[in-house]
């Protein structure tokens, strides 16, 4: 069996695994599988050294990857505006299975995703060699970050009678290699028990400074739903991200989360967990045994 045939079989197996997860309602696992396969296909499409596939076959693989991302995106949105259905994705199975002989027009009007360097969940574990030279050059006890990245934080919602709004101030995060993190920021999302977004995801601006084992944010995040309207079992996630210059991609380093029974006014310190982010909170692994945490402060606003 040739290497190309083995590769195609792996792709087909990954596709089948993803659609199985999807049909079983295991959405987080399906999203991970779709995104990793999309990334593998994009690598093949963008490879200048590969002679395994013709240019037309690469275009088909690129469009296939786009469909995987469309399905993945539709699973992550609780109220999708342009749904890409599982049934539609399944019609593509003969293409990935028989890519070497497939010569028909692609069934969906999509275009290959342009070159980019955002890794699929779980793939970062294979690229854990940090850019030590670059990081060391930036390391220091109290470095200030540039402020050109403004983030995507949203304003507080209008108040409603007898309803509570939550403001979270992200004070700082403790990391043993805080001095090596480049352009760090935090992504905040609210997920239901199935890992699906409850409202719009927000990114903080770049951190304001780093000092010893802490990266300081000092930024307020307005949760975009009244506390009383948050679904049972939901959680607020905080994903710490930073830039890796040699690889030219943004990586999730770790994450933390707050559950509904932890919403109360005042300071709170929460534990950090290893990536990939587990939105279902089923397979959690602590980031470190050291006493390093995410430091937050909660303010509740209630219009009586």
């Amino acid at each position: 069996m040739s290497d190309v045939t083995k590769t195609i079989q792996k792709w087909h197996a990954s596709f089948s695994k993803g659609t199985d997860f999807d049909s079983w309602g295991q959405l987080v696992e399906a999203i991970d599988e779709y995104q990793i396969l999309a990334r593998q296909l994009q690598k093949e499409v963008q490879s200048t050294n590969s002679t395994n596939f013709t240019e037309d076959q690469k275009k088909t693989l690129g469009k296939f990857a786009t469909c995987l991302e469309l399905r993945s995106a539709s699973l992550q949105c609780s109220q999708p505006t342009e749904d890409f259905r599982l049934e539609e994705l399944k019609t593509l199975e003969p293409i990935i299975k028989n890519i070497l002989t497939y010569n028909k027009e692609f069934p969906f009007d999509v275009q290959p995703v342009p070159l980019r360097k955002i890794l699929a969940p779980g793939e970062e574990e294979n690229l854990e060699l940090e850019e030590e030279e670059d990081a060391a050059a930036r390391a220091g006890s109290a470095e200030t970050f540039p402020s050109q990245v403004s983030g995507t934080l949203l304003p507080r919602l209008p108040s409603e009678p007898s309803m509570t709004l939550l403001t979270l101030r992200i004070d700082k995060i403790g990391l043993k290699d805080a001095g090596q993190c480049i352009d760090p920021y935090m992504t905040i999302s609210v997920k239901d028990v199935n890992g699906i977004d409850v409202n719009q995801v927000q990114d903080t601006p770049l951190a304001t400074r780093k000092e010893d084992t802490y990266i300081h944010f000092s930024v307020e995040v307005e949760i975009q739903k009244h506390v009383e309207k948050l679904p049972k079992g939901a959680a607020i996630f905080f994903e710490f991200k930073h830039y890796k210059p040699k690889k030219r991609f943004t990586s999730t380093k770790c994450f933390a989360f707050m559950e509904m029974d932890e919403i109360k006014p005042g300071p709170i310190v929460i534990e950090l967990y290893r990536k990939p982010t587990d939105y279902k909170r089923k397979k959690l692994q602590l980031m470190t045994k050291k006493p390093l945490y995410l430091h937050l402060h909660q303010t509740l606003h209630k219009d009586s």
Side-chain angles (χ1 to χ4, degrees):
M1 187 184 295
S2 69
D3 289 343
V4 181
T5 305
K6 288 179 182 177
T7 298
I8 293 170
Q9 284 186 350
K10 286 181 181 178
W11 289 345
H12 181 232
S14 178
F15 178 78
S16 298
K17 190 176 177 182
T19 53
D20 282 348
F21 280 139
D22 200 342
S23 63
W24 298 334
Q26 294 178 238
L27 304 187
V28 174
E29 292 84 352
I31 290 165
D32 283 359
E33 201 67 42
Y34 289 151
Q35 291 185 347
I36 290 170
L37 177 56
R39 177 69 184 168
Q40 290 171 349
L41 297 179
Q42 287 160 6
K43 280 181 179 177
E44 184 63 45
V45 170
Q46 294 158 7
S47 172
T48 55
N49 301 322
S50 173
T51 56
N52 294 333
F53 301 96
T54 66
E55 286 305 308
D56 283 344
Q57 288 167 350
K58 285 187 175 183
K59 285 181 183 177
T60 299
L61 289 172
K63 291 180 178 182
F64 197 101
T66 298
C67 290
L68 290 169
E69 295 212 350
L70 287 172
R71 179 59 186 163
S72 177
S74 73
L75 291 178
Q76 293 179 71
C77 184
S78 57
Q79 293 181 323
T81 53
E82 293 183 19
D83 224 346
F84 193 84
R85 295 180 293 115
L86 174 60
E87 291 74 16
E88 292 174 313
L89 187 63
K90 281 185 172 181
T91 64
L92 302 180
E93 184 171 8
I95 298 178
I96 197 69
K97 191 176 181 180
N98 306 301
I99 184 64
L100 294 177
T101 55
Y102 185 83
N103 56 8
K104 298 177 183 176
E105 188 173 342
F106 198 81
F108 299 108
D109 184 18
V110 296
Q111 294 302 317
V113 177
L115 177 65
R116 66 182 191 177
K117 292 288 185 178
I118 300 294
L119 290 189
E123 196 175 8
E124 296 158 351
E125 278 74 357
N126 300 322
L127 291 165
E128 271 308 287
L129 290 176
E130 295 285 342
E131 296 73 29
E132 293 179 2
E133 299 87 352
D134 301 79
R138 293 187 180 221
S141 60
E143 180 179 348
T144 301
F145 294 105
S147 57
Q148 68 267 28
V149 178
S150 57
T152 59
L153 296 181
L154 298 166
R156 188 181 305 165
L157 293 175
S159 60
E160 292 184 16
S162 303
M163 288 289 179
T164 309
L165 289 167
L166 172 62
T167 301
L168 286 165
R169 188 179 72 233
I170 302 175
D171 288 328
K172 60 185 179 180
I173 186 172
L175 297 167
K176 63 180 180 180
D177 57 350
Q180 296 180 13
C181 294
I182 297 171
D183 291 351
Y185 67 97
M186 200 82 71
T187 295
I188 299 92
S189 59
V190 183
K191 310 282 186 184
D192 67 13
V193 289
N194 294 313
I196 305 301
D197 284 318
V198 171
N199 51 29
Q200 193 167 340
V201 177
Q202 303 181 67
D203 290 332
T204 70
L206 295 184
T208 55
R209 63 190 175 95
K210 57 188 177 185
E211 190 171 12
D212 299 326
T213 56
Y214 287 103
I215 294 176
H216 295 260
F217 286 89
S218 303
V219 65
E220 291 190 340
V221 180
E222 303 293 345
I223 299 304
Q224 298 295 301
K225 208 171 189 71
H226 292 87
V227 173
E228 291 82 359
K229 296 180 181 179
L230 291 172
K232 184 179 180 181
I236 303 169
F237 281 83
F238 306 84
E239 296 173 85
F240 177 82
K241 300 179 179 181
H242 64 133
Y243 183 68
K244 295 187 173 183
K246 281 195 174 179
K247 300 294 183 182
R248 290 188 293 178
F249 63 74
T250 296
S251 168
T252 299
K253 186 175 183 68
C254 60
F255 72 98
F257 62 88
M258 258 180 59
E259 297 185 319
M260 296 300 97
D261 60 359
E262 295 177 288
I263 295 178
K264 55 194 70 173
I268 182 173
V269 175
I270 55 178
E271 293 178 312
L272 304 175
Y273 295 94
R274 292 182 186 178
K275 63 185 179 183
T277 310
D278 180 9
Y279 297 125
K280 284 190 174 181
R281 295 161 267 159
K282 299 291 187 185
K283 300 175 183 177
L284 300 169
Q285 284 187 294
L286 284 173
M287 175 79 171
T288 177
K289 293 180 180 178
K290 297 178 182 294
L292 298 171
Y293 306 98
L294 177 62
H295 296 251
L296 309 168
H297 189 279
Q298 303 181 72
T299 303
L300 297 174
H301 313 271
K302 189 160 187 174
D303 188 350
S304 56

